[in-house]
Amino acid sequence: MVGTGPLGRRRLCDRRRERDALDRLLGAVHEGRSGVLVLRGEAGIGKTALLDHAVETASSCRIARVSCAESEMELSFAGVHQLCGQMLHRLDHLPGPQREALGAAFGLTAGAAPDRFLVGLAVLSLLADVAEEQPLLCVVEDAQWLDQASAQVLAIAARRLYAESVAMLVAIREPCAAPQFEGLPELRVEGLRHRYARELLASVTPGALDARVRDRIVAETQGNPLALLELPRGMDPAELAGGFGLPGTPPIPHRIEESFARRVEQLPAATRLLLLAAAAEPTGEAQLLWRAAARLGIGAEAAAPAEADGLVELDARIAFRHPLVRSAVYGAASPDQRRTVHGALADVIDPGLDPERRAWHRAHAALGPDETLADELERSAVRAQGRGSLAAAAAFLEQAVALTPDPARRAERLLVAAQAHLDAGSAGAASGLLDAADVGRLDELGRARLERMRARIAFVTGRGRDAPPLLLSAARRLEPLDVRLARETYFEAMEAAMYAGSLGSGRGVLEVAEAARAAPPAPEPPQASDLLLDGLAALWTEGYAAGVPMLQRALAACRHSEDLRWHGLALRTAGELQDMDILQRLAPRAVQLAREAGALTALPLALNYLARWNLITGDFAAAAALIEESRSIAIATGSPPVPYSEVLLAAWRGHERDHGALAEEMLADAEARGEGRAITFIEQSSAILHNGLGNHRIALAAAQRACATSDSTLWVIPELAEAAARIGRPELARDPVERLSELALCIGTEVALGLRARSLALMAESRDAEDLFREAVDRLGPTRTTPHLARAHLLYGEWLRGERRRLDAREQLRTAHDMFESMGATAFASRAARELLAAGERAPTPRVETRSRLTAQEAHIARLANEGLSNQQIGARLFLSRRTVEYHLGKVFTKLGIGSRTELGRVLPHVAGGDP
C-alpha cells in the first residue's frame, strides 16, 4: 500500500532513541545504502506512530506500506502482493526466471510452483529497480500476521538489501513470534517514561486527577501510549478516579480492545455492520467493501459515525485507527453477523479473478458441513500449492475439514493438511493438526500414516535420538498395509539413525538395517531409493564387500532421480564412498530440486551438502556463501541449524577461535537433541584444525574419539595417521590404517586409493614411503580434492626434508604452500611456509596479499565475475540485487588495486571448485 498512516496521528514524545535510529536508517538510504530495522513491542506501545513518523520524515522517498491482518495469514503471498502491487508494471525489467516466479506467485501466469527464494530475489530486484528512480521506504505493520510465504520472501529480501537505496521497516507485536525476521537489526519499543506518560494522560483526561491515582494509572499501563489515550474514553469520573488496576483485570492489549469495543457498541447498527465487513476483508479495497455494503443494504451514510469517532478512515483504501479496532469489531460480532458479511463479500468477489479469496469467504459464511464447498476449498489448496504456498494449501484444507460431512474423509483431509504444513517447514502446525485428527475415524493405513508423520516431525525438529525408534515402529506397522510406504519409512529411519549415531537408542543403525533387510522386497521395477536402502542395509549387516557394489549401483541410479527425499542420504553415501563424480552431479541438483519444490525443510541440508562439496574441492569462498544462505533459511523456517560445513570450513581455514565457538555451540545443541553424528563431526573437524596448526597430539586425540564413535572412517583415519606419525607414534595408527586400506581397496575410487596411499606412506619404510607418496599425488591429482592433494604434497615434502633431500622437499612444499594459500587454508599454508624455511628457502610472500582482506562474499563475486558472469547473473546466483553486486565489485577492485574485470584473472589465483 502506498499512502498515509492511520488515523489519530499525534506528536511523538519521549522517542529520541527511536527517532535517532529511524533517522540513521533513512540517512543511509539517501546516501545510496540500504537498511532494515525491526520494531518489536506490545500492542499500543507506539510502533505505528513511529512508522508514521518515518513516513513523514522520508518526504523524498517513495513509500510502500503493508498493513497485515490476522484473517489474511493463510492467503499465499498476500503481504508481498500488497507491498509490490503498485510496482507490477515493472515486471518486464526483471530477468525471465524472476519475472515468471513472481508472476506465478501472484497468479498472473500459469506454471509450476515458484521457488520461494527466487520469488524473494524477484522482490529484491523489483524494489531495487524502483529505488533507482527514487529512494524507497517499505513499511510492514503487524508483521506477525504476514502469511508464511510473504514472511519468508520479505525476510529473504531484507537479509540481502545492501546497496539499493531501500529501507525496510518491520513492526512486530510481542509476544507474537515472527521467527523469519530474527537476527535482523531490531529496536525494542518500550513504554513512555513517567513524565511523558503523565503529560499524555493529562491531555485526554477531563479535569484534574488525584496525583496518586494518576501515578497508579501510569504505572499500571507501563507507559503504553495507546492505553493512556484510549482507556479513559467512555469511563465515568468514579471509574477513572479508581484507576485501572482492579484485581483480575486482563492485560493491557485486551483492555484497549475492550475500550474500542465499548465505543463500537455506541454506533448505529448499520455502521457496526459496515465496520464488520471492513474487518472481515483485510485487503482494504474500498470498492469491494461498498459492493458488499450495497448487497447488505447499507448506504454510504453509515460510514460517517465511525469516521467522526476516529475509528476508521474510508477513502480509496480502508484504514482502521489501530489493528485492535479491527479485532474488537470482529470479536464483538455474533456468528450470524460474521456469516452474513462473509457471504456478502463472497458474492461480490469475481471467482475468475480471485477464486481463493472467494472460497475463503464462502467457507466462513457456511452454516454447516458442505462437501461441495469443501471440494472447492480443496481445489483452492491445489492452486495455492501450485504457486508454492504450502502453508496456504494447509489452511484451505483445514477449512475443508470443518466443512466435510463424512468423518473418515475429514480425518484424511487433516492428514493431508498436516503433510502440507510439514513440507512448508511448519512442524508445529503439522503436529497440532495431527492432534486434532480423529484416530477412531481412520482406517489402519491412516493410523499408520499418522504414526509415520509424527515420527517425521520428530526427525525434522530434532534430528536426534527420538526419531529413529518412532520411524522404525511406523515402518513395521506399514509393512502389511503399503510396502512402498513402509520402505520409504525404513529409508527415513536409516537416515535418522545415522544422525543419532552414538547417542541413539537400542542398536542404532544396525537394528534399522536388519529390519529393512527382513522387510518385503521393493515392487518392480525398483527405484533408486530401493537400491540405496538395500545397499545400506547390506553394508551394515554384511559389511563393505557385500554393500559397496550395491551402493555403487544405487548411486548410479540416483544420478537420474528427481525425488528430493532421497538425495540427502545419497549424498552422504557418495561422500562416505568418496565418489566425486556422484557428489559433483548430485549436490547442485539437490539444491535445485529443493528450490524448485519450495521445500524449505530440505533446502538447508541440500545447501550444506553443496557446501561440503565445495570444501572438498577447495572452493572455500563458495562454501562460505552457501553456509550463510543455509543458516538464513534455517532461521526463517525455525528449523535446527545445519552447522556441519560451517565448523569444517573454520577448521580448514585454521580459525581456531571461530571453530571453538562453533564447536561449543554445536556440541551443546547436539547433546540436548541426541545427534551423535554432530559430535563425531566436531571431533573430525578438530583433527583437521589441529593438524593444520601443528598441534598433533590434540589432533590425534580428536581423531581417535571420532574413529571410536563413527563408521565414517575413510575421512577420519588419514587425520589419525598424520597426527600419530608427526608425534613419532605411527604404531597408534597402524590398525586403523590397515582397516582404511581394506575399505579403500573395496571401494576402488581414486580418492579412496589416494588417501590410502598417503596414510600408508606415513607408516612405511623409506623406499616404500616415497612410492606411496607419489601414488597419493598421482591418484588425488585428477580428482579435484584440492585440499587433500595439497596435504599429500605437504606430507611428501616434510618426508623428503626428513630424508635430507632439501631441494626435492622445496618443490613439494612450494606446491603445497601455493595451493593452501590460494584456497585460504591459512594454518596449513603457515605450516608449509615453516617447512620451507627449515628446508633452506626464505618464507614465501603471499601471492595476493589483498585477497585475505576480501570477505567471503566479495571473493565469491570476484570469482564469478572472473568466469564471465554478468552482474545480473551473479545476483541471480547469489540472491543479491544487481546494484549490490556492483557495490561489492567496486570494493573488490579497490582492495585488489585494479580497475576492471579483465584484470581479475591476473590478480586472483584460480580456485578449483563447483558453483552453487
Side-chain angles (χ1 to χ4, degrees):
M1 176 191 298
V2 177
T4 62
L7 294 168
R9 185 178 297 122
R10 293 175 179 266
R11 176 181 61 85
L12 284 178
C13 59
D14 191 28
R15 293 300 188 195
R16 173 60 60 189
R17 179 178 66 96
E18 292 86 350
R19 283 183 286 168
D20 286 348
L22 295 174
D23 290 345
R24 286 193 297 271
L25 179 73
L26 295 173
V29 168
H30 287 114
E31 293 172 3
R33 302 192 309 275
S34 295
V36 180
L37 187 62
V38 178
L39 304 180
R40 293 183 180 271
E42 67 177 18
I45 203 68
K47 301 185 297 298
T48 300
L50 288 168
L51 297 181
D52 292 343
H53 171 77
V55 170
E56 292 175 359
T57 304
S59 56
S60 61
C61 293
R62 175 170 177 166
I63 310 298
R65 192 160 187 165
V66 179
S67 295
C68 308
E70 189 172 10
S71 56
E72 207 167 32
M73 289 181 70
E74 292 83 7
L75 297 177
S76 54
F77 297 105
V80 173
H81 192 280
Q82 198 179 155
L83 180 73
C84 302
Q86 296 189 25
M87 308 175 191
L88 295 184
H89 63 284
R90 294 176 174 267
L91 279 181
D92 289 343
H93 297 191
L94 304 185
Q98 295 180 30
R99 182 173 62 250
E100 292 166 8
L102 197 57
F106 290 168
L108 302 176
T109 58
D115 168 21
R116 194 75 51 85
F117 273 72
L118 192 56
V119 176
L121 181 58
V123 169
L124 176 62
S125 299
L126 192 61
L127 299 181
D129 185 64
V130 170
E132 288 194 7
E133 293 182 358
Q134 182 181 6
L136 176 64
L137 172 61
C138 301
V139 176
V140 183
E141 189 173 3
D142 280 310
Q144 75 279 354
W145 288 336
L146 276 171
D147 61 280
Q148 187 184 59
S150 291
Q152 290 171 339
V153 163
L154 292 181
I156 289 164
R159 293 177 195 281
R160 285 156 178 79
L161 286 170
Y162 198 83
E164 296 84 6
S165 293
V166 177
M168 186 176 291
L169 272 174
V170 180
I172 298 172
R173 180 190 299 182
E174 293 189 327
C176 299
Q180 295 87 351
F181 296 97
E182 289 180 3
L184 291 169
E186 67 176 44
L187 177 66
R188 294 196 173 272
V189 184
E190 308 289 348
L192 301 176
R193 287 177 290 175
H194 278 206
R195 169 193 164 189
Y196 296 99
R198 289 196 299 268
E199 290 179 3
L200 188 60
L201 178 61
S203 72
V204 294
T205 305
L209 275 179
D210 179 88
R212 291 169 299 177
V213 172
R214 178 200 62 200
D215 290 343
R216 180 181 178 185
I217 292 170
V218 168
E220 289 170 353
T221 59
Q222 298 179 345
N224 184 298
L226 190 61
L228 291 165
L229 288 170
E230 297 299 334
L231 288 179
R233 290 175 179 263
M235 304 183 79
D236 60 40
E239 286 181 294
L240 195 55
F244 302 130
L246 298 177
T249 54
I252 288 293
H254 293 290
R255 290 154 68 189
I256 300 173
E257 189 171 331
E258 289 172 1
S259 174
F260 283 132
R262 286 195 298 269
R263 291 166 63 182
V264 171
E265 287 174 4
Q266 308 303 314
L267 298 174
T271 303
R272 294 200 304 272
L273 196 60
L274 181 66
L275 286 180
L276 179 58
E281 176 43 59
T283 58
E285 296 178 14
Q287 292 183 354
L288 179 63
L289 174 64
W290 288 120
R291 291 201 302 271
R295 196 163 189 86
L296 293 167
I298 300 172
E301 68 281 357
E307 289 187 297
D309 197 29
L311 292 170
V312 71
E313 183 180 88
L314 294 172
D315 201 345
R317 300 190 73 85
I318 303 155
F320 281 93
R321 175 184 178 83
H322 191 275
L324 289 176
V325 178
R326 184 194 301 276
S327 58
V329 169
Y330 197 82
S334 68
D336 283 343
Q337 290 171 325
R338 293 177 189 172
R339 283 193 290 268
T340 297
V341 298
H342 280 295
L345 287 163
D347 289 342
V348 298
I349 292 175
D350 187 335
L353 295 178
D354 202 347
E356 291 173 26
R357 192 179 297 275
R358 179 176 180 271
W360 189 253
H361 281 301
R362 288 192 64 206
H364 284 80
L367 286 169
D370 184 336
E371 181 59 32
T372 301
L373 183 51
D375 283 340
E376 183 180 344
L377 288 165
E378 204 165 36
R379 290 192 295 272
S380 294
V382 172
R383 287 192 295 270
Q385 189 166 356
R387 293 205 308 276
S389 183
L390 294 171
F396 282 119
L397 287 166
E398 285 183 67
Q399 285 294 316
V401 167
L403 296 172
T404 303
D406 178 56
R409 184 76 179 108
R410 183 165 56 246
E412 171 65 24
R413 279 178 170 147
L414 264 174
L415 290 183
V416 177
Q419 184 66 57
H421 270 302
L422 183 59
D423 291 342
S426 183
S431 183
L433 288 175
L434 294 180
D435 290 341
D438 186 351
V439 177
R441 297 294 184 176
L442 291 170
D443 60 15
E444 182 60 26
L445 177 58
R447 287 192 288 273
R449 287 171 56 206
L450 186 146
E451 181 182 345
R452 174 181 183 252
M453 205 175 302
R454 288 197 189 281
R456 289 192 63 214
I457 290 171
F459 178 58
V460 167
T461 56
R463 290 201 311 270
R465 65 174 67 87
D466 295 336
L470 296 175
L471 285 163
L472 182 57
S473 173
R476 285 169 169 156
R477 186 173 184 176
L478 282 162
E479 271 190 31
L481 304 170
D482 188 325
V483 171
R484 172 64 65 195
L485 194 57
R487 290 183 61 85
E488 290 179 7
T489 311
Y490 276 123
F491 193 100
E492 293 163 344
M494 182 78 72
E495 184 174 23
M498 288 180 175
Y499 269 102
S502 59
L503 298 184
S505 58
R507 290 183 296 123
V509 183
L510 181 59
E511 183 178 4
V512 177
E514 289 172 347
R517 289 283 277 175
E524 292 293 337
Q527 299 177 359
S529 59
D530 294 314
L531 298 173
L532 190 57
L533 175 63
D534 291 340
L536 287 169
L539 179 72
W540 279 91
T541 57
E542 299 181 35
Y544 269 73
V548 167
M550 297 174 67
L551 287 172
Q552 289 173 332
R553 289 194 296 273
L555 290 175
C558 285
R559 284 175 176 268
H560 310 291
S561 174
E562 298 292 302
D563 196 330
L564 179 64
R565 292 173 294 174
W566 324 128
H567 274 69
L569 199 47
L571 282 164
R572 180 176 177 185
T573 302
E576 295 305 325
L577 298 186
Q578 298 176 337
D579 190 327
M580 298 300 106
D581 290 339
I582 293 292
L583 279 175
Q584 183 180 3
R585 179 180 177 87
L586 281 188
R589 183 63 179 144
V591 171
Q592 180 184 353
L593 289 172
R595 284 177 173 158
E596 289 174 352
L600 297 184
T601 54
L603 187 52
L605 288 168
L607 288 165
N608 194 262
Y609 279 115
L610 184 53
R612 288 279 302 279
W613 163 250
N614 282 284
L615 287 174
I616 288 171
T617 62
D619 194 343
F620 293 173
L626 292 161
I627 289 164
E628 180 184 354
E629 185 179 339
S630 175
R631 179 174 284 274
S632 69
I633 298 167
I635 291 171
T637 60
S639 303
V642 189
Y644 290 91
S645 292
E646 189 171 7
V647 75
L648 191 60
L649 175 62
W652 275 110
R653 283 178 162 171
H655 296 174
E656 187 172 8
R657 181 176 298 179
D658 291 347
H659 179 275
L662 285 166
E664 183 178 356
E665 177 185 345
M666 189 174 172
L667 181 63
D669 179 62
E671 288 179 338
R673 291 185 290 106
E675 187 179 340
R677 182 188 176 210
I679 297 173
T680 301
F681 205 85
I682 292 169
E683 301 291 6
Q684 178 186 337
S685 67
S686 295
I688 294 171
L689 171 72
H690 289 289
N691 271 330
L693 294 170
N695 303 327
H696 298 298
R697 292 187 184 278
I698 300 175
L700 176 65
Q704 287 174 324
R705 289 191 296 269
C707 285
T709 59
S710 172
D711 59 298
S712 307
T713 54
L714 287 171
W715 295 109
V716 179
I717 292 175
E719 302 298 334
L720 193 156
E722 180 174 330
R726 286 293 160 265
I727 67 169
R729 297 289 305 278
E731 72 277 4
L732 296 177
R734 202 166 302 281
D735 289 343
V737 169
E738 286 182 7
R739 184 183 175 203
L740 169 67
S741 179
E742 178 185 347
L743 298 181
L745 290 170
C746 181
I747 291 170
T749 64
E750 289 297 293
V751 175
L753 294 172
L755 292 178
R756 168 187 176 271
R758 195 181 85 187
S759 301
L760 285 172
L762 295 167
M763 309 286 110
E765 298 297 331
S766 179
R767 179 172 298 178
D768 292 339
E770 180 156 22
D771 289 342
L772 287 165
F773 276 127
R774 289 186 178 279
E775 179 187 349
V777 169
D778 291 342
R779 288 190 182 279
L780 293 172
T783 65
R784 301 183 68 192
T785 55
T786 311
H788 295 285
L789 173 62
R791 288 180 68 175
H793 284 293
L794 173 62
L795 291 169
Y796 187 16
E798 289 174 338
W799 180 85
L800 288 168
R801 189 176 71 80
E803 294 291 308
R804 301 180 183 274
R805 295 164 57 183
R806 300 174 72 182
L807 289 176
D808 292 336
R810 290 175 197 168
E811 180 182 352
Q812 297 297 324
L813 293 171
R814 275 195 299 270
T815 300
H817 177 271
D818 290 348
M819 293 176 72
F820 286 133
E821 187 189 63
S822 69
M823 71 183 81
T826 55
F828 282 104
S830 296
R831 179 175 150 188
R834 291 193 299 270
E835 289 291 327
L836 274 169
L837 189 63
E841 184 170 304
R842 290 183 57 188
T845 301
R847 289 194 302 175
V848 185
E849 295 179 358
T850 51
R851 180 175 173 77
S852 62
R853 299 203 302 267
L854 296 183
T855 66
Q857 192 168 62
E858 289 167 354
H860 199 182
I861 288 172
R863 182 176 61 80
L864 294 176
N866 188 42
E867 292 176 4
L869 274 70
S870 69
N871 289 351
Q872 192 172 73
Q873 290 170 326
I874 295 171
R877 185 169 296 194
L878 301 184
F879 293 104
L880 300 171
S881 76
R882 175 180 55 79
R883 289 190 63 179
T884 291
V885 173
E886 290 173 357
Y887 176 84
H888 283 304
L889 271 179
K891 295 188 71 175
V892 168
F893 293 165
T894 300
K895 288 182 178 183
L896 298 182
I898 61 176
S900 70
R901 287 167 170 256
T902 57
E903 298 178 79
L904 283 170
R906 173 176 58 82
V907 296
L908 281 180
H910 176 71
V911 179
D915 298 329

